[in-house]
Amino acid sequence: MLVVISDLHLEECTFCVPASLRRNRNLDPQTYEHFIYDLAEDALENHARSVDLVLAGDVFELNRSYFWYEDGIKPYVALQTITEGSEQEKKILRLLELIGKEERVAKTLEIFRKLPSYFPMELHLHYLLGNHDRLVNATPAIRCKARELLGMPASDDLLPHTFTYFSEGKPLAFVRHGQEYDPMNFSVPFQSASLIPAEIPLEEYSAAPVEDFSAVEIIYKLPYLFMQHYGVPAILEDEKLNNLYHRLGEFEDVRPQSALMNYIFHAPGFSRRQVWSYLEPVILDELSSLRRDPFLKSPAMRGNLLKAFLRLNPWKKNIPFVLVRRFSSSITKHIGENESNLPIAKEEVLKTYANSLRCIISGHTHQPQVALIDAPDGIERYYFNSGTWRNVVPVSANQNHFGRINT
């Protein structure tokens, strides 16, 4: 029996965040426990001889934390630059420790460490890496720590990026996280490639993608800078300001992501111009500081629009709102194209294992999906997306209204 879950994004949420502004985005551990009980019951009812439970990436959230703003050490670096005993390694190990100690996460991980006790048959736990836990493969100590937190057998071996599930000795399902389909989150633009190899060279997973830089220094940092700029007392005293601060923190949960900019600019109690008037001074300061970031010189940023924008420095004291609207529309269109053009049919395994493979499984997008890839000679082959274990901000059809639902 094969089970695939992904995108747990277990995170620390207290570092440098005043208690009055904290929101714990981790799920209640009972959510996982109920799922595991149901899973064990299904396995028993279906006479499963064994269970392969695959954690398909983004299990630990190693990008989103105010932890990265205390010093000059950043997560958007190539893995080979992180050496044993280095300050970078110590920082990642410390972050994993903080994640493991977070109240909800600690109880969740305790459940995972006891997984075999829930099942009356043999259970195999597999951990694949995604883009948000890419750093786990940096050093042996970090790999050991991640495995320890999940209760996996001690090992400092490299963690895999794919898993092939066999049934009766033949490949039936192929699993990967899915950042490989996203040009902003992977070093190789496979959307324009003819085939996606099953085993992509490790150096491609080692490289820091553009999205790591933009997410850590803009998206995730914005609420942190907002808090510093306006001050905690002012945010707590002004309901609209408080709402906007927390909206910035929920930015990543919006699905589809093509509605991200609308989500910010449709904050309750504000017009779009008013939202921008609050954000503009924060963003101006941040963009000015980003112009000096060494990552702009990396190969990943070659030809990137953000790099050109930062280098040109077209603003002085303000950024015209008309430019903001055009830029946000361009971003929305670009994200929408990436979301709707997943190159699943280019997976090489569909040809290599044509006689037996029946499905490709990934996560990453946070949008659960079942879609027919093709049906050669009447044999159906499907793509499954495992969704997320995060709560989601859903979007109306016109992308102007937003809700909140539990995963």
Side-chain angles (χ1 to χ4, degrees), residues 247 254-256 259 262-263 266 393-404:
R247 207 170 184 86
V254 175
R255 288 299 182 278
N262 271 7
Y263 181 65
H266 282 80
V393 175
V395 180
S396 64
N398 63 5
Q399 296 198 347
N400 289 337
H401 300 281
F402 305 87
R404 288 182 181 83

Side-chain angles (χ1 to χ4, degrees), residues 2-8 10 32 35-36 39 52-60 108-109 112-113 115 123-130 133 146-147 149-152 159-163 175-177 361-363 386 389:
L2 172 66
V3 182
V4 180
I5 64 175
S6 69
D7 298 87
L8 280 61
L10 304 175
Y32 296 99
F35 167 74
I36 291 166
L39 182 59
D52 284 279
L53 175 56
V54 181
L55 305 179
D58 285 5
V59 174
F60 298 107
T108 296
L109 291 174
F112 274 90
R113 288 192 288 268
L115 270 174
L123 176 115
H124 305 282
L125 181 64
H126 310 272
Y127 176 23
L128 313 182
L129 295 183
D133 46 12
R147 286 186 169 100
L149 289 171
L150 290 168
M152 299 177 72
L159 284 151
H161 297 94
T162 64
F163 175 76
V175 188
R176 64 163 90 242
H177 175 63
I361 306 169
S362 76
S386 49
W389 287 72

Side-chain angles (χ1 to χ4, degrees), residues 63-335:
N63 283 345
R64 180 175 183 148
S65 173
Y66 291 176
F67 186 68
W68 293 112
Y69 310 131
E70 67 170 355
D71 54 32
I73 299 175
K74 300 298 181 182
Y76 44 87
V77 295
L79 298 189
Q80 59 265 30
T81 67
I82 305 173
T83 56
E84 294 182 56
S86 67
E87 292 304 310
Q88 287 174 312
E89 181 192 59
K90 292 175 184 177
K91 193 172 181 75
I92 297 165
L93 287 169
R94 185 175 160 215
L95 180 53
L96 279 171
E97 189 72 26
L98 289 174
I99 292 171
K101 287 181 177 179
E102 197 285 318
E103 184 180 4
R104 292 183 182 178
V105 174
K107 293 178 180 178
T108 296
L109 291 174
E110 186 178 338
I111 292 168
F112 274 90
R113 288 192 288 268
K114 296 190 300 183
L115 270 174
S117 67
Y118 291 89
F119 292 85
M121 69 286 294
E122 190 174 12
L123 176 115
H124 305 282
L125 181 64
H126 310 272
Y127 176 23
L128 313 182
L129 295 183
N131 52 304
H132 284 251
D133 46 12
R134 177 183 69 93
L135 294 173
V136 167
N137 255 354
T139 69
I142 298 171
R143 296 192 287 272
C144 285
K145 182 62 178 179
R147 286 186 169 100
E148 176 192 332
L149 289 171
L150 290 168
M152 299 177 72
S155 171
D156 63 5
D157 290 345
L158 288 168
L159 284 151
H161 297 94
T162 64
F163 175 76
T164 303
Y165 179 73
F166 288 78
S167 177
E168 298 180 355
K170 297 179 180 179
L172 180 70
F174 180 75
V175 188
R176 64 163 90 242
H177 175 63
Q179 78 270 33
E180 299 89 345
Y181 307 140
D182 182 351
M184 291 295 290
N185 276 294
F186 201 60
S187 59
V188 179
F190 279 120
Q191 285 188 329
S192 58
S194 57
L195 283 178
I196 304 176
E199 296 301 325
I200 298 169
L202 285 175
E203 56 264 29
E204 305 299 351
Y205 288 100
S206 169
V210 173
E211 185 66 16
D212 277 17
F213 170 71
S214 59
V216 171
E217 295 299 346
I218 300 176
I219 297 173
Y220 302 154
K221 198 173 185 179
L222 199 51
Y224 172 79
L225 295 173
F226 190 91
M227 179 180 67
Q228 287 193 323
H229 183 86
Y230 290 104
V232 175
I235 293 173
L236 291 174
E237 290 170 9
D238 187 327
E239 184 178 353
K240 291 198 299 183
L241 208 59
N242 195 314
N243 182 288
L244 183 54
Y245 169 77
H246 286 296
R247 207 170 184 86
L248 294 173
E250 294 171 338
F251 194 64
E252 185 71 4
D253 297 329
V254 175
R255 288 299 182 278
Q257 286 193 306
S258 55
L260 290 178
M261 302 306 294
N262 271 7
Y263 181 65
I264 294 299
F265 284 110
H266 282 80
F270 292 98
S271 68
R272 292 170 69 93
R273 285 185 180 273
Q274 286 173 328
V275 169
W276 180 242
S277 70
Y278 277 100
L279 294 181
E280 186 181 33
V282 180
I283 291 176
L284 276 172
D285 288 345
E286 177 56 9
L287 291 180
S288 294
S289 68
L290 281 182
R291 295 182 67 226
R292 300 184 292 273
D293 197 296
F295 188 78
L296 292 177
K297 298 179 181 179
S298 71
M301 292 298 290
R302 190 175 295 121
N304 188 272
L305 179 62
L306 177 60
K307 176 180 178 178
F309 188 69
L310 290 170
R311 286 285 173 82
L312 286 171
N313 191 16
W315 58 88
K316 297 299 179 184
K317 294 182 180 180
N318 60 61
I319 305 176
F321 183 64
V322 64
L323 179 61
V324 174
R325 293 188 66 171
R326 289 176 182 172
F327 189 65
S328 64
S329 296
S330 174
I331 292 174
T332 297
K333 181 181 178 181
H334 182 67
I335 293 175

